[in-house]
Amino acid sequence: MTYEERPQNKNKPEGPPQNAPLEEPLIEITERPLWYTRALAAPHESRYVTVDGTPIHYLLWGAPAQGEAPKPGIVFVHGNGAHARWFAHIAPFLTHDFQVASMDLGGMGESGWRPDRYTRESYAKEIFAVTQDAAMAPGYVVGHSFGGFVSLVAGSEYGDKLGGLVLVDFGVRPPEDHEEWFEDNPPPRPTRVYPDLETALARFRLAPDQPLANRFIFDTIARESLREATPEPDKLGRTAGGTGWTWKFDPKIYYGLTLGRDLNERFRDMPCRKAVVMGGLSWNGQQEVMDHHRKLGGPTTPVFSIPEARHHVMLDQPHAFTMAIHGLLGAWEAERLRASR
């Protein structure tokens, strides 16, 4: 995710090859290609489901028409401080076989702000609630980065009611390497308020930062990361320290949040299918990280990387990422249907 004053993930490694210099400078593509314009224009719905009193927002493509049988579904879960539209250029290409949702986690995007703490269990509950609200039969969860972490918890808690889980560039570390990302973070403070949209957009960054050729995607998600600031709480409980433009995320989303030391066990004992997709140029895509997932998941767990993709896989290689998800979940769905006969 992304923005100048992002919630800190102080301990997460951001070293090579993630930040290694490219052999050649990237040529940034600023004009929107036709495929991207068509994807953003694809019909979809904006929906809310209430979870523990908090409105959770999601976008939905390819919902069954009235009277049609429920379809298998995919829920995309974004990363640190991001939002549903990170997958708006991905979802329409999967609707031939699935209904596809992309959600805003609580305290982010267009979802409500919780009056109390956010926990990994509250996020997991939100993810499962989206699969249920969209009547997915079954629901497959695809979580990127921080979204992979909370999706892993959702798969562990609700996997017997899900079709499967895909972690995207989120690495489960060996127990001896465990670190709490947000430990000892200072108390949250209000997000910065900028005088105008242009100033705010200029402060938007990927986190971890990286070279990116597809500037047209970056520009879209940057605009969708900002909101007009109001001194009084809006209908989603969002506040700001003035008027102007500010980030959509709740500054307290990670305050007191813990990863927990049980992620290895949760991944190993997942009661549903699971897979791991890494960026081939990401720190998470290093051989030892991949090997740990293969050992932990066993021979039936696909673990692979997308070539020429860094941490933000869906921005770097959108078509390769889309086809990887389609092929993986399509195979799982075919296997599920064969087993049900």
Side-chain angles (χ1 to χ4, degrees), residues 154-235:
S156 176
E157 297 283 337
Y158 306 102
D160 59 334
K161 302 179 183 67
L162 296 172
L165 167 74
V166 183
L167 300 182
V168 180
D169 217 71
F170 170 74
V172 177
R173 306 297 167 184
E176 62 272 18
D177 295 336
H178 176 79
E179 289 182 310
E180 287 293 337
W181 289 355
F182 308 107
E183 191 173 38
D184 299 327
N185 272 6
R189 65 182 189 275
T191 54
R192 185 175 302 178
V193 178
Y194 301 93
D196 53 63
L197 179 59
E198 290 70 25
T199 302
L201 287 171
R203 307 308 300 177
F204 185 79
R205 300 290 187 275
L206 296 175
D209 208 357
Q210 64 166 73
L212 181 66
N214 295 323
R215 183 75 188 192
F216 58 92
I217 306 178
F218 178 94
D219 292 342
T220 300
I221 61 175
R223 175 62 185 84
E224 294 294 336
S225 298
L226 291 155
R227 64 181 177 90
E228 289 194 70
T230 56
E232 298 298 325
D234 64 12
K235 63 181 181 180

Side-chain angles (χ1 to χ4, degrees), residues 11-12 32 45 52 79 85 106 128 134 139 152-153 165 167 184 203-204 209 232 236 242 249 264 323 330:
N11 298 316
K12 187 174 182 181
R32 293 184 174 188
E45 303 173 37
D52 295 333
R85 295 196 179 274
F128 181 63
L152 189 160
V153 178
L165 167 74
L167 300 182
D184 299 327
R203 307 308 300 177
F204 185 79
D209 208 357
E232 298 298 325
L236 296 175
F249 69 87
N264 280 265
M323 292 303 98

Side-chain angles (χ1 to χ4, degrees), residues 1 9 19 25 35-36 42-43 46 71 85 109 148-150 233 253 304:
M1 156 66 239
N9 182 345
N19 292 330
W35 71 264
Y36 184 74
S46 176
K71 295 168 61 177
R85 295 196 179 274
F149 156 53
V150 293
I253 45 181
F304 61 95

Side-chain angles (χ1 to χ4, degrees), residues 80 82 98 110 121-122 144 175 184 247 254 278 284 288 325:
N80 181 351
F98 300 91
E110 293 302 318
E121 288 79 15
S122 68
H144 172 246
D184 299 327
W247 310 109
Y254 304 114
M278 298 296 195
N284 288 314
E288 60 268 29
I325 295 301

Side-chain angles (χ1 to χ4, degrees), residues 4 31 35-37 54 108 116 122 146 154 163 170 180 186 199 201 213 265 267 271 278 292 294 321 337:
E4 181 195 48
E31 295 295 324
W35 71 264
Y36 184 74
T37 302
T54 301
M108 301 179 235
D116 50 4
S122 68
F146 175 85
F170 170 74
E180 287 293 337
T199 302
L201 287 171
E265 292 79 10
F267 182 77
M278 298 296 195
H292 179 65
R294 292 187 179 102
F321 174 72
L337 292 174

Side-chain angles (χ1 to χ4, degrees), residues 12-40:
K12 187 174 182 181
E14 296 182 5
Q18 172 69 46
N19 292 330
L22 298 179
E23 294 182 2
E24 297 180 3
L26 284 179
I27 299 175
E28 291 189 347
I29 306 170
T30 57
E31 295 295 324
R32 293 184 174 188
L34 182 57
W35 71 264
Y36 184 74
T37 302
R38 287 175 172 168
L40 295 193

Side-chain angles (χ1 to χ4, degrees), residues 294-312:
R294 292 187 179 102
K295 180 180 178 181
L296 201 60
T300 61
T301 300
V303 179
F304 61 95
S305 61
I306 303 293
E308 298 301 314
R310 288 175 166 73
H311 177 64
H312 302 100

